[in-house]
Amino acid sequence: MPLAVVLILLVVGSLLFHLLSPWTFTELASNWGMVDFTVDVTLYVTGFVFVVVNLFMAYCVIKFRYRKGARATYEPENKKLETWLTGLTAVGVAAMLTPGLFVWAKFVDVPEEAHVVEAIGQQWHWTFRMPGADGKLGEVDAERISNDNPFGMDPDDPNGQDDILVYNPEVHVPIDKPVKFLLRSKDVLHDFAVAQFRVKMDLVPGMNTFLWLTPTQEGRFEILCEELCGIGHHTMRGAVVVDSAGDYDTWLANQPTYSALNAKPAGNAGIGAAQYAICASCHGQQGEGNVAMNAPKIAGQSSWYLKRQIMNYKKGLRGTNPADTFGQQMTGMVAMLADEQAVDNVVAHIRTFPDNPVEQTSQGGNPMAGAKQYSVCAYCHGKDGMGVQALNAPRVAGMSDWYLERQLRYFRDEVRGSHLQDYYGFQMGLMGQSLYDEQAMKDLIAYINTL
Ligand code: CUA
């Protein structure tokens, strides 16, 4: 009897959970209502069978439970019952499979006018490429991928010159126009999935896969990697922003082409020296940092990182959190750098500074305990803590330890990495969650100080 009660409670509980829980489909934002229909049919068929089978079991347990002297009747064949069961099962299975065939036929039949966006996955972020005015994507090759050529572009391919390169996990698409996402992985299996679009597809190294959809709602939709791809898998996020046609054109006009990126002059350290004067008052003449001014050491920091952070300040991705008073100071200062070229110049000047050791101020940490924690950080920041550009992880070894400690705290308290578009800050926030008790932080800093 207890078993029968459990079975009945299981059915009632499951139905209540389904009807009352907040975990339902996200709102549909694409043309793929067919996918929802298919899922609904599967749910109704399997749900009906689940309820009927379990209640039938409970009924049997009660009705045919042990009674003294009762005898079972033996009935090996029941043609009528078998016909019904086989027929109903066939109808149910067919109902679940048939809509999927129609969905798949449509899924592989990409509208000819679909505009193409290549989404490139790597541990653990997304980048995007779109054909330029010629409508053709240039050749790419994994062998050419490097820090200077993260897309693996062929410099001699004329089709690639006007390709639009988006080195950022956020891409825009226009509303109500079919878009075909070409999918390419640089390293391991990933999966491109936006819940609101209902379609998803794996990225397989050495293969090009695709999916297509027509976005039907403006807004910002999160991309999740839905294939386990290593320690940072859960942090591999991005966004597809669906724009009105006008907003999309504005966004597109601001994205660089491959040839424009190549033609951009390198930073000029000489010009940068004059612009650095304002930075020097806090960060020091040689970028050595000044704890009294809350200015970290910048000498020896990776140039790509310095540039990204200054640009983040300029774009309001950093230094806009009201709790980040030092960041707000920095926002005022970077406003003096007129444009990207000025930023490049200053960064080029910073690169000329000698990388002298800094005074270590952090106390109370156990480097042995910190070593264990750092093994997680090492996946991105490198075993030697010198940073890995391809993983968007800056150098941490030999930098101002008081600054590292404060930033860890800022990540924990979501003072840093809280801006919606600060994907790498957000990523660091997720990765660091295991380290955010005070002692763990001190241990970690103590270990980084030994690197
Ligand atoms: Cu990429 Cu999981």
Side-chain angles (χ1 to χ4, degrees):
M1 195 54 131
L3 180 66
V5 174
V6 167
L7 284 170
I8 292 166
L9 286 178
L10 181 74
V11 169
V12 175
S14 300
L15 287 175
L16 285 178
F17 181 82
H18 175 71
L19 295 172
L20 302 178
S21 88
W23 294 293
T24 54
F25 273 167
T26 50
E27 210 183 332
L28 177 69
S30 79
N31 58 313
W32 288 108
M34 277 170 95
V35 173
D36 284 5
F37 175 74
T38 306
V39 175
D40 281 343
V41 168
T42 305
L43 184 75
Y44 294 138
V45 171
T46 54
F48 175 77
V49 172
F50 171 81
V51 169
V52 168
V53 167
N54 279 291
L55 291 183
F56 179 69
M57 278 202 293
Y59 167 79
C60 291
V61 169
I62 296 166
K63 166 108 190 180
F64 302 111
R65 69 184 186 278
Y66 174 74
R67 278 192 209 88
K68 208 166 181 188
R71 283 184 65 89
T73 47
Y74 177 59
E75 197 180 339
E77 301 285 345
N78 185 330
K79 201 142 187 250
K80 200 172 148 201
L81 184 65
E82 279 162 24
T83 310
W84 270 105
L85 283 180
T86 312
L88 282 176
T89 308
V91 170
V93 171
M96 287 193 288
L97 294 184
T98 314
L101 294 176
F102 286 97
V103 173
W104 186 253
K106 205 173 162 199
F107 184 83
V108 292
D109 183 22
V110 185
E112 250 168 54
E113 72 278 17
H115 109 112
V116 169
V117 178
E118 185 189 48
I120 303 134
Q122 71 173 80
Q123 290 175 318
W124 288 279
H125 75 134
W126 301 95
T127 50
F128 302 93
R129 182 168 70 119
M130 281 164 288
D134 64 358
K136 287 183 203 147
L137 284 169
E139 282 295 322
V140 286
D141 191 333
E143 284 193 350
R144 279 191 294 265
I145 291 173
S146 67
N147 283 340
D148 297 326
N149 187 2
F151 291 84
M153 301 288 290
D154 178 352
D156 300 322
D157 182 357
N159 290 337
Q161 300 304 318
D162 64 349
D163 282 8
I164 292 153
L165 304 182
V166 183
Y167 193 88
N168 187 340
E170 185 173 292
V171 73
H172 290 229
V173 293
I175 192 167
D176 292 333
K177 294 227 169 73
V179 48
K180 178 183 188 182
F181 281 96
L182 290 172
L183 305 171
R184 165 160 77 99
S185 168
K186 288 190 196 173
D187 38 36
V188 298
L189 290 174
H190 300 280
D191 185 280
F192 182 94
V194 175
Q196 291 87 345
F197 293 163
R198 298 297 194 271
V199 277
K200 56 188 257 182
M201 183 54 73
D202 276 5
L203 283 69
V204 184
M207 270 175 78
N208 282 307
T209 52
F210 71 89
L211 60 83
W212 78 271
L213 65 122
T214 306
T216 54
Q217 246 189 62
E218 282 179 34
R220 185 180 175 282
F221 302 100
E222 192 174 34
I223 305 168
L224 294 176
C225 174
E226 292 192 353
E227 182 72 52
L228 186 59
C229 57
I231 193 163
H233 158 68
H234 64 296
T235 70
M236 189 169 165
R237 318 276 179 103
V240 177
V241 177
V242 179
D243 279 337
S244 65
D247 286 353
Y248 175 72
D249 291 340
T250 312
W251 174 82
L252 192 64
N254 280 314
Q255 304 308 312
T257 62
Y258 176 58
S259 60
L261 283 172
N262 281 340
K264 217 162 65 68
N268 181 318
I271 302 174
Q275 283 155 333
Y276 184 76
I278 41 164
C279 321
S281 51
C282 295
H283 289 279
Q285 288 300 329
Q286 303 274 288
E288 64 275 16
N290 183 343
V291 61
M293 302 294 289
N294 292 295
K297 178 192 171 196
I298 49 177
Q301 183 54 278
S302 330
S303 297
W304 62 266
Y305 177 72
L306 291 175
K307 178 175 178 183
R308 189 180 81 196
Q309 291 314 102
I310 298 175
M311 294 308 287
N312 279 352
Y313 277 113
K314 284 186 84 67
K315 288 187 269 190
L317 269 57
R318 271 205 73 192
T320 41
N321 191 310
D324 185 7
T325 44
F326 306 121
Q328 285 169 15
Q329 269 170 25
M330 181 68 185
T331 304
M333 301 310 276
V334 299
M336 314 265 206
L337 299 171
D339 52 19
E340 197 181 333
Q341 189 58 47
V343 175
D344 284 334
N345 293 341
V346 163
V347 169
H349 179 64
I350 295 171
R351 200 184 305 146
T352 64
F353 294 154
D355 177 19
N356 294 323
V358 277
E359 195 194 340
Q360 298 179 343
T361 57
S362 177
Q363 284 168 354
N366 173 1
M368 299 278 276
K372 215 169 141 201
Q373 281 149 355
Y374 187 77
S375 61
V376 175
C377 319
Y379 281 101
C380 292
H381 293 277
K383 275 204 170 66
D384 56 2
M386 292 304 284
V388 180
Q389 182 175 353
L391 294 170
N392 300 295
R395 171 178 169 184
V396 290
M399 306 311 285
S400 309
D401 59 355
W402 57 267
Y403 178 73
L404 294 179
E405 200 173 318
R406 189 169 73 199
Q407 297 310 313
L408 275 177
R409 231 168 249 130
Y410 277 2
F411 278 119
R412 175 191 64 189
D413 302 339
E414 290 174 19
V415 172
R416 189 170 175 168
S418 59
H419 192 285
L420 210 57
Q421 288 172 306
D422 183 4
Y423 291 95
Y424 304 117
F426 175 72
Q427 191 165 51
M428 176 62 202
L430 288 175
M431 285 311 287
Q433 270 165 11
S434 57
L435 302 166
Y436 286 158
D437 85 70
E438 287 294 316
Q439 191 55 45
M441 262 188 243
K442 286 193 183 308
D443 295 345
L444 181 68
I445 301 291
Y447 177 72
I448 292 174
N449 277 340
T450 68
L451 293 173

XYZ file of all heavy atoms in Angstrom, residues 215-268:
406
model
N 14.985 36.237 -36.470
C 14.631 36.823 -35.182
C 13.346 37.633 -35.295
O 13.151 38.355 -36.272
C 15.816 37.728 -34.823
C 16.717 37.744 -35.997
C 16.205 36.829 -37.047
N 12.452 37.491 -34.335
C 11.161 38.171 -34.422
C 10.947 39.164 -33.288
O 9.873 39.730 -33.152
C 10.021 37.136 -34.361
O 10.203 36.339 -33.181
C 10.025 36.239 -35.572
N 11.983 39.322 -32.442
C 11.826 40.238 -31.311
C 13.113 40.990 -31.096
O 14.184 40.383 -31.096
C 11.555 39.417 -30.053
C 10.192 39.622 -29.486
C 10.100 38.957 -28.129
O 10.806 39.299 -27.204
N 9.230 37.966 -28.050
N 13.015 42.303 -30.901
C 14.222 43.061 -30.594
C 14.651 42.759 -29.165
O 13.830 42.443 -28.312
C 13.959 44.557 -30.756
C 13.957 45.000 -32.210
C 13.667 46.478 -32.362
O 14.076 47.250 -31.486
O 13.023 46.840 -33.364
N 15.942 42.886 -28.934
C 16.422 42.673 -27.564
C 17.768 41.997 -27.554
O 18.361 41.710 -28.600
N 18.213 41.715 -26.337
C 19.527 41.124 -26.145
C 19.324 39.704 -25.635
O 18.675 39.507 -24.612
C 20.281 41.958 -25.115
C 21.691 41.560 -24.872
C 22.303 42.473 -23.821
N 23.635 42.018 -23.506
C 23.876 40.978 -22.714
N 22.890 40.347 -22.149
N 25.120 40.606 -22.484
N 19.840 38.736 -26.359
C 19.606 37.334 -26.016
C 20.937 36.644 -25.731
O 21.867 36.738 -26.532
C 18.857 36.633 -27.154
C 17.537 37.288 -27.466
C 17.428 38.156 -28.542
C 16.436 37.080 -26.653
C 16.226 38.785 -28.820
C 15.233 37.700 -26.917
C 15.125 38.558 -28.002
N 20.996 35.961 -24.609
C 22.264 35.387 -24.188
C 22.609 34.124 -24.977
O 21.753 33.261 -25.184
C 22.206 35.058 -22.686
C 23.571 34.726 -22.121
C 23.567 34.550 -20.619
O 22.560 34.053 -20.073
O 24.588 34.898 -19.989
N 23.859 34.052 -25.403
C 24.369 32.823 -26.011
C 24.972 31.984 -24.901
O 25.762 32.483 -24.105
C 25.497 33.111 -27.032
C 25.053 34.104 -28.091
C 25.986 31.815 -27.664
C 26.209 34.635 -28.924
N 24.588 30.722 -24.842
C 25.218 29.804 -23.905
C 25.927 28.737 -24.711
O 25.383 28.236 -25.688
C 24.175 29.123 -23.014
C 23.401 30.006 -22.046
C 22.367 29.176 -21.327
C 24.341 30.650 -21.045
N 27.133 28.381 -24.278
C 27.756 27.204 -24.850
C 27.120 26.018 -24.151
O 27.136 25.931 -22.928
C 29.260 27.216 -24.621
S 30.036 25.690 -25.177
N 26.522 25.113 -24.925
C 25.827 23.983 -24.293
C 26.524 22.658 -24.591
O 25.875 21.639 -24.811
C 24.351 23.976 -24.716
C 23.605 25.165 -24.135
C 22.098 25.084 -24.256
O 21.599 24.164 -24.913
O 21.424 25.971 -23.690
N 27.847 22.708 -24.670
C 28.623 21.473 -24.793
C 29.791 21.610 -23.825
O 30.525 22.602 -23.897
C 29.143 21.347 -26.239
C 29.919 20.081 -26.521
C 29.009 18.857 -26.576
O 28.019 18.883 -27.314
O 29.308 17.895 -25.861
N 29.932 20.640 -22.940
C 30.987 20.735 -21.925
C 32.344 20.862 -22.609
O 32.747 19.984 -23.372
C 30.954 19.493 -21.034
C 31.907 19.532 -19.835
C 31.597 20.712 -18.932
C 31.828 18.244 -19.056
N 33.035 21.992 -22.370
C 34.242 22.273 -23.164
C 35.420 22.649 -22.285
O 36.309 23.364 -22.715
C 33.944 23.375 -24.183
S 33.346 24.906 -23.446
N 35.416 22.186 -21.041
C 36.564 22.471 -20.188
C 36.141 23.253 -18.958
O 34.962 23.524 -18.746
N 37.144 23.643 -18.189
C 36.877 24.208 -16.863
C 36.081 25.505 -16.925
O 35.328 25.833 -16.027
C 38.203 24.393 -16.096
C 37.932 24.664 -14.621
C 39.050 25.494 -16.714
C 39.147 24.452 -13.753
N 36.225 26.248 -18.029
C 35.516 27.524 -18.125
C 34.213 27.432 -18.902
O 33.628 28.451 -19.256
N 33.746 26.199 -19.162
C 32.534 25.998 -19.972
C 31.364 26.874 -19.518
O 30.712 27.523 -20.330
C 32.163 24.512 -19.932
C 30.740 24.217 -20.246
N 30.216 24.409 -21.501
C 29.729 23.740 -19.469
C 28.933 24.061 -21.473
N 28.624 23.662 -20.262
N 31.140 26.899 -18.196
C 29.965 27.642 -17.699
C 30.127 29.146 -17.866
O 29.163 29.890 -17.707
C 29.705 27.288 -16.236
C 30.820 27.705 -15.317
N 32.089 27.184 -15.400
C 30.852 28.608 -14.308
C 32.856 27.756 -14.473
N 32.132 28.617 -13.806
N 31.334 29.600 -18.165
C 31.541 31.041 -18.334
C 31.546 31.449 -19.799
O 31.790 32.602 -20.125
C 32.880 31.475 -17.718
O 33.946 30.952 -18.518
C 33.036 30.973 -16.296
N 31.303 30.485 -20.686
C 31.389 30.793 -22.124
C 30.061 31.377 -22.595
O 29.229 30.693 -23.164
C 31.752 29.525 -22.898
C 32.067 29.798 -24.354
S 32.797 28.348 -25.113
C 32.641 28.789 -26.842
N 29.887 32.662 -22.324
C 28.626 33.334 -22.653
C 28.881 34.368 -23.733
O 30.004 34.749 -24.006
C 28.056 34.042 -21.427
C 28.132 33.276 -20.138
C 26.995 32.310 -19.943
N 27.141 31.585 -18.689
C 26.437 31.866 -17.592
N 25.575 32.838 -17.586
N 26.610 31.158 -16.490
N 27.799 34.857 -24.271
C 27.870 35.938 -25.241
C 26.465 36.439 -25.445
O 25.569 36.114 -24.659
N 26.252 37.224 -26.491
C 24.893 37.710 -26.723
C 24.663 37.963 -28.203
O 25.575 38.351 -28.936
C 24.623 38.981 -25.937
N 23.425 37.700 -28.621
C 22.956 38.141 -29.925
C 21.992 39.290 -29.645
O 21.025 39.119 -28.900
C 22.227 37.019 -30.685
C 21.685 37.551 -32.011
C 23.152 35.839 -30.922
N 22.295 40.459 -30.189
C 21.424 41.608 -30.004
C 20.603 41.781 -31.275
O 21.169 41.941 -32.364
C 22.233 42.888 -29.705
C 21.301 44.093 -29.577
C 23.054 42.709 -28.435
N 19.290 41.694 -31.150
C 18.421 41.853 -32.313
C 17.990 43.326 -32.381
O 17.386 43.850 -31.446
C 17.193 40.926 -32.215
C 16.290 41.121 -33.423
C 17.634 39.475 -32.100
N 18.369 43.955 -33.489
C 18.168 45.398 -33.664
C 17.109 45.685 -34.716
O 16.872 44.869 -35.608
C 19.466 46.029 -34.191
C 20.473 46.295 -33.091
O 20.058 46.412 -31.932
O 21.674 46.375 -33.418
N 16.538 46.888 -34.638
C 15.770 47.398 -35.776
C 16.760 47.634 -36.913
O 17.966 47.723 -36.682
C 15.096 48.710 -35.393
O 16.100 49.683 -35.153
N 16.253 47.718 -38.142
C 17.132 47.841 -39.302
C 18.071 49.043 -39.144
O 19.266 48.960 -39.438
C 16.294 47.966 -40.570
N 17.544 50.170 -38.663
C 18.358 51.380 -38.522
C 19.469 51.193 -37.503
O 20.638 51.506 -37.774
N 19.127 50.641 -36.333
C 20.134 50.421 -35.292
C 21.196 49.444 -35.773
O 22.376 49.580 -35.458
C 19.481 49.847 -34.023
C 18.687 50.898 -33.280
O 18.769 52.072 -33.676
O 17.975 50.530 -32.321
N 20.755 48.451 -36.532
C 21.711 47.463 -37.024
C 22.726 48.122 -37.948
O 23.936 47.878 -37.831
C 20.983 46.330 -37.750
C 21.946 45.362 -38.377
C 22.691 44.496 -37.581
C 22.138 45.330 -39.754
C 23.609 43.629 -38.134
C 23.047 44.452 -40.321
C 23.784 43.606 -39.513
O 24.695 42.754 -40.056
N 22.252 48.971 -38.855
C 23.169 49.632 -39.784
C 24.182 50.490 -39.031
O 25.357 50.539 -39.394
C 22.389 50.480 -40.797
C 21.586 49.595 -41.751
O 21.929 48.397 -41.871
O 20.618 50.096 -42.356
N 23.713 51.177 -37.983
C 24.624 52.007 -37.184
C 25.700 51.140 -36.540
O 26.888 51.467 -36.562
C 23.839 52.723 -36.064
O 22.680 53.306 -36.633
C 24.682 53.778 -35.385
N 25.271 50.022 -35.979
C 26.232 49.126 -35.331
C 27.248 48.608 -36.343
O 28.453 48.630 -36.111
C 25.490 47.957 -34.675
C 26.415 46.923 -34.106
C 27.046 46.964 -32.896
C 26.831 45.706 -34.731
N 27.828 45.852 -32.728
C 27.725 45.062 -33.834
C 26.554 45.083 -35.956
C 28.326 43.832 -34.132
C 27.148 43.868 -36.240
C 28.026 43.254 -35.335
N 26.705 48.162 -37.500
C 27.560 47.551 -38.519
C 28.620 48.540 -39.002
O 29.785 48.173 -39.200
C 26.695 47.081 -39.696
C 27.374 46.170 -40.716
C 27.778 44.853 -40.057
C 26.457 45.909 -41.897
N 28.212 49.801 -39.158
C 29.137 50.815 -39.674
C 30.305 51.023 -38.711
O 31.368 51.484 -39.117
C 28.387 52.123 -39.892
N 30.122 50.663 -37.446
C 31.184 50.868 -36.466
C 32.107 49.663 -36.298
O 33.017 49.703 -35.479
C 30.565 51.216 -35.105
C 30.164 52.670 -35.058
O 30.925 53.542 -35.466
N 28.952 52.933 -34.593
N 31.851 48.586 -37.053
C 32.697 47.403 -36.913
C 33.818 47.460 -37.955
O 33.582 47.802 -39.099
C 31.871 46.118 -37.096
C 30.687 46.017 -36.147
C 31.081 46.218 -34.697
O 32.036 45.627 -34.211
N 30.357 47.096 -34.004
N 35.022 47.102 -37.543
C 36.157 47.208 -38.461
C 36.189 46.062 -39.479
O 35.757 44.943 -39.181
C 37.364 47.111 -37.522
C 36.872 46.289 -36.369
C 35.403 46.604 -36.214
N 36.692 46.351 -40.663
C 36.953 45.291 -41.631
C 38.376 44.784 -41.421
O 39.200 45.439 -40.779
C 36.834 45.800 -43.085
O 37.819 46.812 -43.274
C 35.450 46.362 -43.362
N 38.642 43.631 -42.012
C 39.977 43.032 -41.888
C 41.045 43.974 -42.437
O 42.077 44.198 -41.802
C 39.974 41.692 -42.632
C 41.309 41.003 -42.668
C 41.964 40.673 -41.479
C 41.903 40.659 -43.880
C 43.186 40.020 -41.509
C 43.120 40.007 -43.916
C 43.769 39.696 -42.730
O 44.971 39.056 -42.770
N 40.782 44.568 -43.607
C 41.814 45.432 -44.189
C 41.993 46.708 -43.367
O 43.105 47.205 -43.221
C 41.496 45.761 -45.651
O 40.249 46.421 -45.722
N 40.892 47.227 -42.801
C 41.022 48.430 -41.972
C 41.867 48.129 -40.730
O 42.692 48.951 -40.322
C 39.650 48.940 -41.551
N 41.670 46.931 -40.155
C 42.468 46.559 -38.983
C 43.944 46.462 -39.356
O 44.822 46.883 -38.609
C 41.983 45.220 -38.418
C 40.694 45.268 -37.596
C 40.230 43.867 -37.259
C 40.883 46.076 -36.321
N 44.210 45.902 -40.556
C 45.593 45.757 -40.988
C 46.237 47.097 -41.282
O 47.438 47.276 -41.107
C 45.663 44.888 -42.253
C 45.546 43.425 -41.893
O 45.785 43.048 -40.756
N 45.153 42.613 -42.865
N 45.410 48.049 -41.784
C 45.958 49.336 -42.213
C 46.165 50.284 -41.038
O 46.795 51.326 -41.179
C 45.015 49.970 -43.235
N 45.600 49.911 -39.885
C 45.683 50.823 -38.743
C 47.140 51.002 -38.322
O 47.857 50.028 -38.112
C 44.880 50.233 -37.570
C 44.157 51.281 -36.765
C 43.064 50.664 -35.916
C 43.579 49.740 -34.839
N 44.327 50.385 -33.778
N 47.588 52.256 -38.168
C 48.977 52.452 -37.767
C 49.196 51.950 -36.339
O 48.300 52.035 -35.500
C 49.158 53.970 -37.843
C 47.786 54.539 -37.768
C 46.852 53.520 -38.336
N 50.393 51.414 -36.100
C 50.710 50.957 -34.740
C 50.803 52.171 -33.827
O 50.975 53.297 -34.285
C 52.029 50.198 -34.760
N 50.675 51.928 -32.532
C 50.794 53.024 -31.574
C 52.166 53.693 -31.667
O 53.175 53.029 -31.916
N 52.187 55.008 -31.462
C 53.429 55.759 -31.547
C 53.865 56.141 -30.125
O 53.253 56.992 -29.475
C 53.203 57.007 -32.413
C 54.462 57.820 -32.564
O 55.215 58.017 -31.607
N 54.689 58.305 -33.776
